[in-house]
Amino acid sequence: MQIFDNYLVLPAVSVDNSNVFQLLSTNDGHLIKGFAYLGRGTNELSDYQRYNIDNTSKILYALDGSNKLIGFNLDSIIDGNRNYCIISKHFDSPFPAARQVQVLDNKIFQLGGSQNPRIFITNIEGDTLLKYDNIPYISANHKFDSGFSKKFMTHYSHYTIKPDMKKIANVTNNGMMLEILSISNTNIQSERIRYFYEPQMESLRQPLNECVFGATQIQGTNKYIYVLYYDSQMKFVENSTPIMGVFDWDGNEVACYNLNNHVTSFVVTPDDTRIYCWAYNSEGVGYLGFLDLS
């Protein structure tokens, strides 16, 4: 879920070949229109898991598994202009290795790479600007050698970029740690790591029942980091509801909200006054909700 102006953008749950993204009003949640196409054509996406909105340019960027980057002009979509696809570019570099990709101010942030450096920033042409591949200490468990730790960080990290592009935050699930890194013109460096719950893993793909579930999503504004997480063990998580933890960009917790329903995605307004979320009630019915912050 992404936000710009008075609109929310959500990826469709399933599509035929059109309306890949859904544009909703923040006023009452009604569907305004769908846009973007699924396919192999010049202005079509083969998949649509990696996307973000650059609020400065009001462009939604999506990078699919074939290394195609497409930019959609959101103002044109709202105005009904059918020529809303303004960027379609194919890269030769291995972007699919990155778990998350965000495009901001003509910079491409590859986050959570399994083959590339863990964090890899390029310009819009694909030229390398910065790399970072340090793996933090995760656990004293003998499984967490350098190879296991690298794979763990690839599979279980969730990243967000501060809108001013001066910091990156990463939070993990299967246990939980919060990592904050700073970005300068010349390097990326670790600023702080906070450890909340130690991962307890039977194997890379299988946490123990006693392992705390941890984070499911992270979002950032210029003031705060928002982390959606479960503090329950795996064996109890189905009967648990999540927590919204709010941290400043130094890693200090400033607020904590216990939510009453399962939340699968959320976004925060730039002024930190409201969280919009897609949630499910106790009967499994999905709905668009919000939480006003004080």
Side-chain angles (χ1 to χ4, degrees):
M1 183 186 296
Q2 298 275 299
I3 190 170
F4 80 103
D5 293 346
N6 296 316
Y7 305 96
L8 299 170
V9 176
L10 283 75
V13 175
S14 61
V15 297
D16 183 2
N17 65 346
S18 61
N19 299 325
V20 168
F21 297 105
Q22 309 290 321
L23 186 69
L24 282 68
S25 167
T26 58
N27 294 325
D28 56 12
H30 79 273
L31 175 65
I32 296 172
K33 62 178 64 177
F35 64 95
Y37 291 87
L38 198 64
R40 299 290 178 178
T42 302
N43 295 333
E44 297 175 338
L45 295 162
S46 62
D47 57 77
Y48 53 98
Q49 284 75 38
R50 297 181 297 181
Y51 73 97
N52 77 282
I53 293 175
D54 183 345
N55 274 284
T56 301
S57 62
K58 294 186 182 179
I59 296 174
L60 184 147
Y61 291 96
L63 182 74
D64 69 13
S66 71
N67 283 358
K68 185 193 301 176
L69 177 70
I70 297 184
F72 303 102
N73 186 298
L74 295 170
D75 281 338
S76 294
I77 291 168
I78 293 168
D79 293 340
N81 185 341
R82 298 185 66 180
N83 297 318
Y84 55 76
C85 181
I86 58 173
I87 297 170
S88 182
K89 184 176 180 62
H90 187 272
F91 295 94
D92 294 327
S93 59
F95 284 104
R99 181 180 174 89
Q100 292 176 237
V101 176
Q102 294 189 36
V103 183
L104 297 167
D105 192 30
N106 291 317
K107 295 183 179 70
I108 302 174
F109 294 76
Q110 301 179 64
L111 308 167
S114 58
Q115 299 173 12
N116 291 331
R118 186 159 67 97
I119 299 172
F120 188 32
I121 304 175
T122 73
N123 61 22
I124 201 71
E125 301 302 322
D127 303 316
T128 301
L129 300 176
L130 295 171
K131 295 180 180 182
Y132 183 84
D133 203 26
N134 292 348
I135 303 297
Y137 169 85
I138 300 174
S139 171
N141 187 300
H142 71 278
K143 288 188 174 70
F144 283 84
D145 58 21
S146 59
F148 191 95
S149 295
K150 168 75 171 178
K151 293 175 182 177
F152 182 89
M153 293 299 289
T154 296
H155 288 290
Y156 303 120
S157 289
H158 310 271
Y159 291 87
T160 190
I161 302 169
K162 192 177 181 185
D164 66 9
M165 295 178 292
K166 293 182 178 179
K167 290 191 176 183
I168 296 171
N170 166 44
V171 71
T172 61
N173 60 291
N174 290 337
M176 193 171 98
M177 59 178 283
L178 175 65
E179 175 188 32
I180 299 173
L181 305 107
S182 62
I183 309 170
S184 70
N185 291 331
T186 57
N187 68 1
I188 301 170
Q189 63 181 22
S190 177
E191 292 287 330
R192 187 178 183 187
I193 300 174
R194 290 196 60 186
Y195 298 92
F196 297 91
Y197 307 106
E198 184 174 7
Q200 300 182 52
M201 308 296 291
E202 182 175 333
S203 65
L204 180 63
R205 301 285 187 174
Q206 184 61 52
L208 296 172
N209 283 335
E210 292 73 27
C211 185
V212 171
F213 191 92
T216 64
Q217 193 182 349
I218 184 172
Q219 295 280 357
T221 66
N222 274 322
K223 289 183 68 175
Y224 299 119
I225 301 165
Y226 296 80
V227 177
L228 183 68
Y229 68 97
Y230 290 83
D231 63 355
S232 303
Q233 295 178 342
M234 293 290 178
K235 57 187 176 183
F236 301 124
V237 73
E238 286 188 6
N239 298 317
S240 304
T241 51
I243 297 167
M244 184 69 71
V246 185
F247 303 83
D248 64 25
W249 279 95
D250 292 321
N252 304 305
E253 188 171 22
V254 296
C256 184
Y257 302 91
N258 291 294
L259 307 183
N260 57 6
N261 280 318
H262 289 285
V263 174
T264 57
S265 63
F266 76 94
V267 69
V268 188
T269 56
D271 62 1
D272 299 282
T273 59
R274 177 173 284 189
I275 296 174
Y276 291 95
C277 58
W278 189 260
Y280 290 86
N281 64 21
S282 59
E283 298 177 349
V285 177
Y287 66 92
L288 179 66
F290 65 86
L291 170 67
D292 283 331
L293 304 175
S294 57

